[in-house]
Amino acid sequence: IVVSLTPHDTTLSGNPDLFLSISLCGSYLSSPLSSSLRFRSESMDYLRAFIFLVLILSAISLSEAGSIGVNYGRISDELPSAFKVVQLLKSQGIDRVKIFDADPAVLKALSGSGIRVTVDLPNEMLFSAAKRPSFAATWVKRNVAAYHPSTQIESVAVGNEVFVDPHNTTKYLIPAMRNIHKALVSYNLHSSIKISSPLALSALQNSYPSSSGSFRPELVDLVIKPMLDFLRETGSRLMINVYPFFAYEGNSDVIPLDYALLKENPGMVDSGNGLRYFNLFDAQIDAVFAAMSALKYDDIEIIVTETGWPSKGDENEIGASVANAASYNGNLIRRILTGGGTPLRPKADLTIYLFALFNENKKFGPTSERNYGLFFPDEKKVYDIPFTQEGLKHYRDGGHNTPATGNQQVTPPNNGGGVSKSLTGSTWCVANGDAGKDRLQGGLDYACGDGGADCRPIQRGAPCYSPDTLEAHASFAFNSYYQKKGRAGGSCYFGGAAYVVTQPPKYGRCEFPTGY
């Protein structure tokens, strides 16, 4: 923006007109101010004109560019040291990083780097943090206060996708968040370090069209409203994990690839509000905004704590490729760094964390799980995309860029290893054994009937008939329905008789499918 105040030609009264000229994004506007601001010889009139200009500039609201961070997962036995990782981040201009724990070696390596850090209180610690304020205080002392501010910790993620945690930790989430916050207050860190908890999009009952976005009803009073109240009280943002890849993979027959990859396309009009969307990422974000708006929480901002696209997948993982991963991540970076919000929230500039920094060879699940990385373990790029505004100057669509390396591949592990704590690959839908026989039977009947689930494997003599229990059979049917629906939000509900898990269900020797 270039602003100038200049006297124009002298009027008949001998007083010059004061012109306000503004050059905004290449456009030039020039207009005389009202007569009350015309220059006179008195210095007070100059002062008044200056004050008026300041007020005008204060009223100009312009969107600033968003910010790019990266998730630093470490479920691998071949990654570089934490100190090398910090140098890699700095060399790429990445100034935000999120980790899935509070590992001392990583936090020490980040000390003095200027990189802003989000640490995580793992799901398995939620019970202790909720039930024992002393545990929360000790955790904050050892994992936050001991490193900050030399290590620039800016937020604490309490749990991760807790609603799909098979250990049913949801009821402990809000008490844990409040106890962690009290501990931060005791160290006077609550103003500089914010608390939230990443949600998966499966927390939504409806996500299409975006304007109909709503949270799952069984979660609203239990945890959604209390969480949003907490975020409002503390000035924190709602953390969400958004993966257009999952939606495209399960619905590639109806979702255009260009729309999913943020490429040029004619867009889609939301039938509920008439807004046109040009990419699936914005549509998914606005579904969350709409869900919050429906509950009267329009003032809560969003931060995207995970998003990404795999560079390799199994044969049935439609869309997983180097070219598509480069296009999605590259185009998303450009979309975020060039500013502007979503159609529903045009001023909502976003901070996003790409998943993930490295390919991680010890992760379970389909091939895609081990191939979300931006870099190989040897620190070479999987594909060439920029992470800064400077790099964007010479950037073309990622799908047209040649892979940055040769024929390196990540192969599945031959034995055990770490398990991802985030929903970045396959998920399954299983029966809730506490829902009661009537709900389970009703859900099973619907799934195998009108729901169109493939229930042949649970018939007598078929591979998944054993164990012959209502919970096992319902789990298989619920999962079949869930997978056929592309794991869409709300497709694993069945009146509260089902929930999503991130590890393969185990019922006898039955293998639960991850797609059809």
Side-chain angles (χ1 to χ4, degrees):
I1 309 171
V2 178
V3 181
S4 61
L5 276 171
T6 56
H8 198 47
D9 294 335
T10 306
T11 63
L12 293 176
S13 63
N15 294 321
D17 276 337
L18 178 66
F19 266 66
L20 172 66
S21 301
I22 302 178
S23 176
L24 174 61
C25 298
S27 299
Y28 181 81
L29 300 173
S30 181
S31 176
L33 296 175
S34 64
S35 58
S36 63
L37 287 179
R38 291 186 176 181
F39 273 121
R40 304 182 191 279
S41 59
E42 297 89 346
S43 61
M44 184 57 70
D45 289 321
Y46 283 96
L47 177 61
R48 287 172 181 164
F50 176 76
I51 293 174
F52 185 76
L53 172 63
V54 172
L55 292 175
I56 290 175
L57 293 179
S58 298
I60 296 175
S61 177
L62 297 172
S63 293
E64 296 179 358
S67 177
I68 303 295
V70 66
N71 284 275
Y72 174 21
R74 306 188 310 281
I75 304 176
S76 174
D77 60 2
E78 53 187 13
L79 297 182
S81 69
F83 286 99
K84 287 186 176 181
V85 170
V86 171
Q87 295 307 311
L88 175 64
L89 294 172
K90 294 175 70 174
S91 72
Q92 298 298 320
I94 299 173
D95 60 4
R96 273 191 161 103
V97 67
K98 176 174 165 286
I99 58 178
F100 293 96
D101 51 21
D103 184 83
V106 175
L107 294 178
K108 289 178 182 176
L110 286 163
S111 177
S113 66
I115 296 172
R116 287 166 284 185
V117 186
T118 295
V119 297
D120 183 84
L121 175 80
N123 289 357
E124 55 266 28
M125 294 184 181
L126 288 177
F127 175 83
S128 297
K131 294 295 185 181
R132 295 162 46 202
S134 60
F135 177 92
T138 300
W139 189 88
V140 168
K141 177 181 179 181
R142 294 177 177 175
N143 299 288
V144 179
Y147 300 98
H148 186 82
S150 180
T151 298
Q152 197 174 335
I153 298 173
E154 65 174 344
S155 57
V156 177
V158 178
N160 186 54
E161 298 186 338
V162 174
F163 304 158
V164 297
D165 186 344
H167 297 100
N168 297 320
T169 53
T170 297
K171 60 185 176 182
Y172 305 120
L173 178 58
I174 305 304
M177 293 175 72
R178 291 199 172 276
N179 283 340
I180 294 294
H181 182 256
K182 290 177 183 177
L184 288 176
V185 170
S186 70
Y187 286 99
N188 198 29
L189 295 175
H190 57 290
S191 296
S192 56
I193 301 177
K194 298 301 180 180
I195 295 174
S196 189
S197 183
L199 306 185
L201 278 188
S202 58
L204 296 181
Q205 175 76 2
N206 297 304
S207 60
Y208 180 82
S210 299
S211 58
S212 70
S214 63
F215 290 106
R216 286 162 47 189
E218 75 274 17
L219 295 175
V220 171
D221 291 326
L222 174 65
V223 67
I224 295 296
K225 283 185 176 180
M227 178 189 290
L228 295 177
D229 284 336
F230 173 84
L231 299 179
R232 177 180 281 167
E233 293 168 13
T234 59
S236 302
R237 291 178 288 180
L238 178 66
M239 295 177 169
I240 61 170
N241 296 342
V242 178
Y243 286 92
F245 168 72
F246 292 148
Y248 174 76
E249 178 195 18
N251 302 274
S252 59
D253 56 332
V254 294
I255 298 178
L257 182 59
D258 286 352
Y259 183 71
L261 297 179
L262 292 89
K263 292 187 174 184
E264 290 186 11
N265 66 90
M268 296 185 179
V269 176
D270 187 310
S271 58
N273 57 23
L275 295 175
R276 183 175 292 275
Y277 287 85
F278 292 97
N279 64 79
L280 184 54
F281 175 86
D282 281 355
Q284 291 183 326
I285 295 296
D286 273 355
V288 180
F289 275 130
M292 290 196 294
S293 181
L295 299 178
K296 310 301 182 185
Y297 291 91
D298 297 280
D299 54 321
I300 306 296
E301 297 181 359
I302 281 177
I303 181 170
V304 179
T305 37
E306 287 184 33
T307 190
W309 195 286
S311 60
K312 185 181 179 183
D314 295 322
E315 185 176 349
N316 65 337
E317 295 187 282
I318 300 173
S321 71
V322 170
N324 288 345
S327 283
Y328 176 77
N329 285 320
N331 290 334
L332 180 60
I333 289 170
R334 177 168 55 194
R335 178 247 179 280
I336 296 298
L337 292 185
T338 53
T342 65
L344 190 62
R345 297 283 183 87
K347 295 182 181 179
D349 293 299
L350 296 170
T351 292
I352 69 165
Y353 287 82
L354 299 174
F355 190 93
L357 185 57
F358 293 109
N359 283 337
E360 299 170 71
N361 71 324
K362 288 296 183 180
K363 297 185 73 171
F364 288 117
T367 298
S368 62
E369 274 288 333
R370 296 172 289 281
N371 289 276
Y372 273 88
L374 301 165
F375 294 86
F376 292 107
D378 62 3
E379 303 181 45
K380 293 180 180 178
K381 285 186 174 182
V382 177
Y383 39 84
D384 191 14
I385 59 172
F387 301 101
T388 64
Q389 288 182 329
E390 181 65 26
L392 284 174
K393 293 179 179 179
H394 308 289
Y395 173 69
R396 296 175 60 203
D397 185 304
H400 298 294
N401 285 7
T402 303
T405 59
N407 57 0
Q408 298 188 54
Q409 296 180 343
V410 176
T411 57
N414 295 321
N415 46 34
V419 180
S420 171
K421 294 185 175 63
S422 64
L423 185 64
T424 55
S426 294
T427 54
W428 294 262
C429 181
V430 298
N432 179 1
D434 296 328
K437 180 179 178 180
D438 291 342
R439 279 191 180 184
L440 291 179
Q441 188 63 56
L444 175 60
D445 293 342
Y446 171 79
C448 294
D450 293 341
D454 181 10
C455 295
R456 291 172 296 178
I458 56 176
Q459 303 304 310
R460 186 180 297 274
C464 293
Y465 178 76
S466 179
D468 182 15
T469 65
L470 178 57
E471 182 179 340
H473 288 183
S475 291
F476 187 91
F478 293 172
N479 182 66
S480 175
Y481 177 88
Y482 174 64
Q483 302 297 340
K484 283 178 175 287
K485 295 295 182 182
R487 309 175 203 156
S491 62
C492 182
Y493 180 51
F494 297 96
Y499 60 95
V500 175
V501 296
T502 57
Q503 299 302 312
K506 296 186 182 299
Y507 291 97
R509 297 183 179 179
C510 181
E511 292 186 7
F512 280 49
T514 58
Y516 286 88

